[in-house]
Amino acid sequence: MRVNADFNDFACVTPERYQWVTSPSAGVERMMLDRIGDEVARATSLVRYAPNTQFSRHTHGGGEEILVLEGVFADEHGRYPAGSYLRNPVGTGHTPRIGDEGALILVKLHQFDPDDILQLAVPAHRLPWQPDRRAGITYKMLHTYGGERVSLERWEANTQVTYPPLGGGLELFVLQGSLISDGSEYIQGSWCRFPCGAAPQLEAGSQGVQLYLKRGHLAVVNAPDQ
């Protein structure tokens, strides 16, 4: 299966284009944002858990990155409310178990550098916003490794940012508000991916915007072994 699989092109999925598909576990649905592979895949997805559901135990052959968007994500290691950021390196495993709240997560699979072995559970919702050198922007740094940088950013209304050509691409998810790029406005729930070499000009909407941002990770894109 290939979904938005040409990483040389700009890709975007907005909420009105969501198409939820069932997973092998009852009560668990996926909205595929990009994917190369079948059940084992290099994938970026939204995953929606109905209340009191469980996903079978699995090992992360290529690593797993999670941002909890709604509800409470849980496994045998802990409970992680909305705003939590998790990294499970290559070779780790768990059994997601969701309680009465249900959960919605943004998850990225098979996108770890194999030498990036730090396992994280960051309560990002509790971290203070830090002032950025760019006016009108505050941020929360979540993870850095090599050229990869993962953060949350909050832009005041109508704040404009022009990026230099991106050596490792840029990926974002709109958490609140809206973002304007190339004449299009992307509302909450929109996912966009800019390829290596792109130099996007972005602007926060009239109510500002809060974003998940990931940079520097698209220089090499490989499909996982099936």
Side-chain angles (χ1 to χ4, degrees), residues 185-206:
E185 185 168 17
Y186 299 105
I187 63 171
Q188 179 177 336
S190 299
W191 168 85
C192 298
R193 189 188 69 211
F194 297 86
C196 298
Q201 296 179 329
L202 306 179
E203 180 180 354
S206 60

Side-chain angles (χ1 to χ4, degrees), residues 33-53:
L33 301 172
D34 68 26
R35 194 173 189 92
I36 303 175
D38 296 316
E39 189 56 33
V40 176
R42 184 211 186 279
T44 302
S45 309
L46 297 173
V47 179
R48 184 167 63 188
Y49 293 86
N52 303 304
T53 51

